[in-house]
Amino acid sequence: TEIYTLSLHDALPISATVYIEPLHISNKLYIIGAGHCGKALGQLAMLSGFYVTLIDNRHECLSEDLSAYGHEKIYNDYSVISAHISTGSNSWIVIMTHGHLHDKQVLQQCLKLPTRYLGMIGSKNKVKETFTKLIEQGFEQQNLDKVHAPIGLRIGSQTPYEIAISIMAEIIKELRL
């Protein structure tokens, strides 16, 4: 067996067998909610090597240049989130919309998607209320138990970047397990 180092323009001998091995498949972080905390998380995630997609239902949150906070930005009314999310072991989702109803709407869609990580921001009471409503709609507790909520490591964070740091720390912890 011979090993060839090639550029895209090199020709191989006709009898050569080619094996292609990807060197790196990027982890994709979908941040649903591009407010202050979402943008802060996007910036930290990009610095940590994630491919970041910001999704929001507010044009004003997506109208500015967001290249420091994400690779992609998508306007979506949250009714069909799955159309914009690649699923699988490299997909990570953080739900941090601007309202409880939006969080619930997005979470019930994301629970059906195979992803590496699913987290939702919110107080313990908000999370409990959201989960209770989803159970009433037929979702199973075992599926809800997989959701990281309230999201982030408990470090007493208050500002958008402190909150982003706590979430990114939890994501990195999950990534390295």
Side-chain angles (χ1 to χ4, degrees), residues 5-176:
T5 303
L6 305 168
S7 75
L8 292 175
H9 303 291
D10 291 335
L12 284 173
I14 293 176
S15 63
T17 302
V18 178
Y19 297 96
I20 299 174
E21 180 179 351
L23 299 178
H24 178 71
I25 297 174
S26 181
N27 286 299
K28 296 179 181 180
L29 177 62
Y30 297 91
I31 301 172
I32 304 170
H36 297 299
C37 292
K39 289 173 184 169
L41 177 61
Q43 187 173 30
L44 293 177
M46 285 177 64
L47 292 170
S48 299
F50 282 79
Y51 184 89
V52 176
T53 301
L54 296 166
I55 303 172
D56 206 294
N57 69 348
R58 300 168 290 177
H59 284 292
E60 63 272 15
C61 288
L62 299 173
S63 62
E64 62 185 272
D65 176 19
L66 299 178
S67 60
Y69 309 111
H71 297 92
E72 281 184 85
K73 58 183 179 181
I74 298 172
Y75 172 79
N76 185 283
D77 66 2
Y78 299 146
S79 62
V80 187
I81 287 293
S82 61
H84 302 288
I85 295 176
S86 298
T87 59
S89 62
N90 292 332
S91 293
W92 304 67
I93 300 174
V94 172
I95 301 169
M96 48 189 357
T97 70
H98 57 93
H100 302 305
L101 294 176
H102 295 303
D103 287 345
K104 181 180 152 295
Q105 178 187 23
V106 170
L107 181 59
Q108 66 190 58
Q109 293 176 67
C110 291
L111 282 168
K112 299 172 186 174
L113 302 175
T115 61
R116 171 86 180 263
Y117 177 94
L118 175 57
M120 184 179 74
I121 199 168
S123 67
K124 286 183 181 181
N125 287 338
K126 177 188 146 188
V127 169
K128 183 178 177 182
E129 179 183 317
T130 301
F131 282 15
T132 299
K133 288 179 181 177
L134 290 173
I135 288 172
E136 289 169 0
Q137 291 180 347
F139 286 88
E140 295 184 22
Q141 184 65 48
Q142 67 187 31
N143 291 331
L144 295 171
D145 289 342
K146 297 175 186 175
V147 179
H148 296 261
I151 196 172
L153 298 182
R154 307 294 162 250
I155 60 171
S157 54
Q158 296 178 359
T159 69
Y161 275 96
E162 290 173 349
I163 292 166
I165 288 168
S166 74
I167 295 168
M168 203 61 226
E170 182 176 275
I171 289 172
I172 292 169
K173 180 181 174 186
E174 289 295 317
L175 178 66
R176 302 297 179 223

